[in-house]
mmCIF file of all heavy atoms in Angstrom:
data_model
loop_
_atom_site.group_PDB
_atom_site.id
_atom_site.type_symbol
_atom_site.label_atom_id
_atom_site.label_comp_id
_atom_site.label_asym_id
_atom_site.label_seq_id
_atom_site.Cartn_x
_atom_site.Cartn_y
_atom_site.Cartn_z
ATOM 1 N N ARG A 7 9.685 9.402 21.963
ATOM 2 C CA ARG A 7 9.289 9.365 20.550
ATOM 3 C C ARG A 7 9.247 10.758 19.914
ATOM 4 O O ARG A 7 9.703 10.941 18.795
ATOM 5 C CB ARG A 7 7.958 8.632 20.389
ATOM 6 C CG ARG A 7 6.796 9.214 21.200
ATOM 7 C CD ARG A 7 5.568 8.302 21.140
ATOM 8 N NE ARG A 7 5.267 7.942 19.766
ATOM 9 C CZ ARG A 7 4.680 6.792 19.406
ATOM 10 N NH1 ARG A 7 4.320 5.912 20.313
ATOM 11 N NH2 ARG A 7 4.441 6.552 18.144
ATOM 12 N N LEU A 28 -0.978 5.238 11.499
ATOM 13 C CA LEU A 28 -2.099 5.794 12.278
ATOM 14 C C LEU A 28 -1.741 5.937 13.756
ATOM 15 O O LEU A 28 -0.910 5.207 14.277
ATOM 16 C CB LEU A 28 -3.354 4.926 12.118
ATOM 17 C CG LEU A 28 -3.537 3.670 12.999
ATOM 18 C CD1 LEU A 28 -4.944 3.139 12.850
ATOM 19 C CD2 LEU A 28 -2.517 2.609 12.669
ATOM 20 N N SER A 30 -0.303 7.375 17.192
ATOM 21 C CA SER A 30 0.788 8.154 17.797
ATOM 22 C C SER A 30 1.830 8.612 16.781
ATOM 23 O O SER A 30 2.339 9.732 16.879
ATOM 24 C CB SER A 30 1.461 7.321 18.881
ATOM 25 O OG SER A 30 0.495 6.678 19.677
ATOM 26 N N SER A 31 2.174 7.771 15.810
ATOM 27 C CA SER A 31 3.202 8.159 14.831
ATOM 28 C C SER A 31 2.746 9.370 14.025
ATOM 29 O O SER A 31 3.532 10.267 13.739
ATOM 30 C CB SER A 31 3.519 7.001 13.888
ATOM 31 O OG SER A 31 3.984 5.889 14.614
ATOM 32 N N MET A 51 -4.906 0.773 9.051
ATOM 33 C CA MET A 51 -3.876 0.079 9.823
ATOM 34 C C MET A 51 -3.292 -1.062 8.995
ATOM 35 O O MET A 51 -4.025 -1.808 8.349
ATOM 36 C CB MET A 51 -4.473 -0.457 11.131
ATOM 37 C CG MET A 51 -3.433 -1.042 12.064
ATOM 38 S SD MET A 51 -4.125 -1.363 13.712
ATOM 39 C CE MET A 51 -2.741 -2.222 14.454
ATOM 40 N N GLY A 75 4.201 2.631 14.027
ATOM 41 C CA GLY A 75 4.275 1.914 15.300
ATOM 42 C C GLY A 75 4.450 0.416 15.109
ATOM 43 O O GLY A 75 4.264 -0.121 14.014
ATOM 44 N N ASP A 76 4.801 -0.244 16.206
ATOM 45 C CA ASP A 76 5.007 -1.694 16.148
ATOM 46 C C ASP A 76 3.703 -2.427 15.847
ATOM 47 O O ASP A 76 3.700 -3.427 15.114
ATOM 48 C CB ASP A 76 5.650 -2.228 17.431
ATOM 49 C CG ASP A 76 5.010 -1.684 18.708
ATOM 50 O OD1 ASP A 76 4.870 -0.447 18.827
ATOM 51 O OD2 ASP A 76 4.638 -2.494 19.583
ATOM 52 N N GLY A 77 2.578 -1.915 16.375
ATOM 53 C CA GLY A 77 1.294 -2.580 16.116
ATOM 54 C C GLY A 77 0.950 -2.546 14.639
ATOM 55 O O GLY A 77 0.551 -3.552 14.045
ATOM 56 N N ASP A 78 1.130 -1.381 14.032
ATOM 57 C CA ASP A 78 0.861 -1.230 12.604
ATOM 58 C C ASP A 78 1.799 -2.123 11.791
ATOM 59 O O ASP A 78 1.367 -2.797 10.850
ATOM 60 C CB ASP A 78 1.052 0.233 12.211
ATOM 61 C CG ASP A 78 0.881 0.464 10.724
ATOM 62 O OD1 ASP A 78 -0.242 0.258 10.237
ATOM 63 O OD2 ASP A 78 1.858 0.834 10.059
ATOM 64 N N MET A 81 0.936 -5.778 11.686
ATOM 65 C CA MET A 81 -0.222 -6.137 10.866
ATOM 66 C C MET A 81 0.161 -6.372 9.401
ATOM 67 O O MET A 81 -0.624 -6.899 8.634
ATOM 68 C CB MET A 81 -1.305 -5.059 10.974
ATOM 69 C CG MET A 81 -2.663 -5.542 10.520
ATOM 70 S SD MET A 81 -3.990 -4.344 10.801
ATOM 71 C CE MET A 81 -4.538 -4.787 12.443
ATOM 72 N N ASN A 104 7.111 0.881 20.970
ATOM 73 C CA ASN A 104 6.851 1.040 22.409
ATOM 74 C C ASN A 104 6.312 -0.261 23.002
ATOM 75 O O ASN A 104 5.815 -0.286 24.117
ATOM 76 C CB ASN A 104 5.872 2.200 22.666
ATOM 77 C CG ASN A 104 4.559 2.026 21.929
ATOM 78 O OD1 ASN A 104 4.322 0.976 21.320
ATOM 79 N ND2 ASN A 104 3.702 3.032 21.980
ATOM 80 N N CYS A 106 3.727 -1.782 22.562
ATOM 81 C CA CYS A 106 2.301 -1.868 22.871
ATOM 82 C C CYS A 106 1.462 -1.149 21.818
ATOM 83 O O CYS A 106 1.988 -0.396 21.002
ATOM 84 C CB CYS A 106 1.992 -1.306 24.258
ATOM 85 S SG CYS A 106 2.222 0.463 24.398
ATOM 86 N N PHE A 107 0.159 -1.429 21.857
ATOM 87 C CA PHE A 107 -0.804 -0.701 21.035
ATOM 88 C C PHE A 107 -1.148 0.568 21.814
ATOM 89 O O PHE A 107 -2.130 0.605 22.553
ATOM 90 C CB PHE A 107 -2.070 -1.533 20.822
ATOM 91 C CG PHE A 107 -1.853 -2.850 20.109
ATOM 92 C CD1 PHE A 107 -1.757 -4.049 20.825
ATOM 93 C CD2 PHE A 107 -1.773 -2.906 18.720
ATOM 94 C CE1 PHE A 107 -1.581 -5.266 20.160
ATOM 95 C CE2 PHE A 107 -1.597 -4.117 18.050
ATOM 96 C CZ PHE A 107 -1.496 -5.297 18.776
ATOM 97 N N GLY A 108 -0.308 1.597 21.660
ATOM 98 C CA GLY A 108 -0.442 2.785 22.497
ATOM 99 C C GLY A 108 -1.788 3.465 22.328
ATOM 100 O O GLY A 108 -2.441 3.835 23.310
ATOM 101 N N GLU A 109 -2.204 3.605 21.117
ATOM 102 C CA GLU A 109 -3.392 4.389 20.799
ATOM 103 C C GLU A 109 -4.674 3.794 21.386
ATOM 104 O O GLU A 109 -5.643 4.498 21.625
ATOM 105 C CB GLU A 109 -3.502 4.475 19.268
ATOM 106 C CG GLU A 109 -4.348 5.601 18.729
ATOM 107 C CD GLU A 109 -3.908 6.988 19.187
ATOM 108 O OE1 GLU A 109 -2.702 7.192 19.429
ATOM 109 O OE2 GLU A 109 -4.795 7.840 19.307
ATOM 110 N N THR A 110 -4.656 2.493 21.626
ATOM 111 C CA THR A 110 -5.879 1.849 22.123
ATOM 112 C C THR A 110 -5.790 1.498 23.608
ATOM 113 O O THR A 110 -6.579 0.705 24.112
ATOM 114 C CB THR A 110 -6.187 0.566 21.314
ATOM 115 O OG1 THR A 110 -4.999 -0.235 21.266
ATOM 116 C CG2 THR A 110 -6.636 0.899 19.906
ATOM 117 N N THR A 115 2.045 -5.524 22.648
ATOM 118 C CA THR A 115 2.123 -6.211 21.348
ATOM 119 C C THR A 115 3.110 -7.373 21.469
ATOM 120 O O THR A 115 3.718 -7.582 22.520
ATOM 121 C CB THR A 115 2.627 -5.281 20.237
ATOM 122 O OG1 THR A 115 3.964 -4.880 20.569
ATOM 123 C CG2 THR A 115 1.757 -4.054 20.054
ATOM 124 N N ASN B 82 -11.331 -3.905 4.484
ATOM 125 C CA ASN B 82 -11.036 -2.724 5.308
ATOM 126 C C ASN B 82 -10.094 -1.755 4.593
ATOM 127 O O ASN B 82 -10.209 -0.538 4.743
ATOM 128 C CB ASN B 82 -10.432 -3.147 6.657
ATOM 129 C CG ASN B 82 -10.106 -1.950 7.527
ATOM 130 O OD1 ASN B 82 -10.968 -1.099 7.746
ATOM 131 N ND2 ASN B 82 -8.879 -1.858 7.993
HETATM 132 C C1 TPP C 201 -7.822 -2.942 11.342
HETATM 133 C C2 TPP C 201 -7.762 -2.202 12.624
HETATM 134 N N1 TPP C 201 -7.732 -2.872 13.784
HETATM 135 C C3 TPP C 201 -7.662 -2.204 14.959
HETATM 136 C C4 TPP C 201 -7.621 -0.840 14.984
HETATM 137 C C5 TPP C 201 -7.562 -0.084 16.293
HETATM 138 N N2 TPP C 201 -6.258 0.536 16.484
HETATM 139 C C6 TPP C 201 -6.064 1.855 16.246
HETATM 140 S S1 TPP C 201 -4.503 2.348 16.596
HETATM 141 C C7 TPP C 201 -4.098 0.796 17.091
HETATM 142 C C8 TPP C 201 -2.753 0.489 17.695
HETATM 143 C C9 TPP C 201 -1.598 0.997 16.963
HETATM 144 O O1 TPP C 201 -0.469 0.550 17.646
HETATM 145 P P1 TPP C 201 0.956 0.979 17.204
HETATM 146 O O2 TPP C 201 1.046 0.917 15.728
HETATM 147 O O3 TPP C 201 1.960 0.203 17.975
HETATM 148 O O4 TPP C 201 0.979 2.512 17.565
HETATM 149 P P2 TPP C 201 1.331 3.271 18.939
HETATM 150 O O5 TPP C 201 1.618 2.297 20.004
HETATM 151 O O6 TPP C 201 2.543 4.071 18.578
HETATM 152 O O7 TPP C 201 0.135 4.128 19.205
HETATM 153 C C10 TPP C 201 -5.153 -0.094 16.975
HETATM 154 C C11 TPP C 201 -5.087 -1.518 17.344
HETATM 155 C C12 TPP C 201 -7.685 -0.176 13.744
HETATM 156 N N3 TPP C 201 -7.652 1.153 13.655
HETATM 157 N N4 TPP C 201 -7.743 -0.878 12.589
#
Side-chain angles (χ1 to χ4, degrees):
Chain A
R7 57 188 310 151
L28 84 169
S30 316
S31 301
M51 187 169 173
D76 46 309
D78 176 65
M81 198 174 270
N104 57 7
C106 68
F107 299 99
E109 200 57 30
T110 50
T115 63
Chain B
N82 180 52

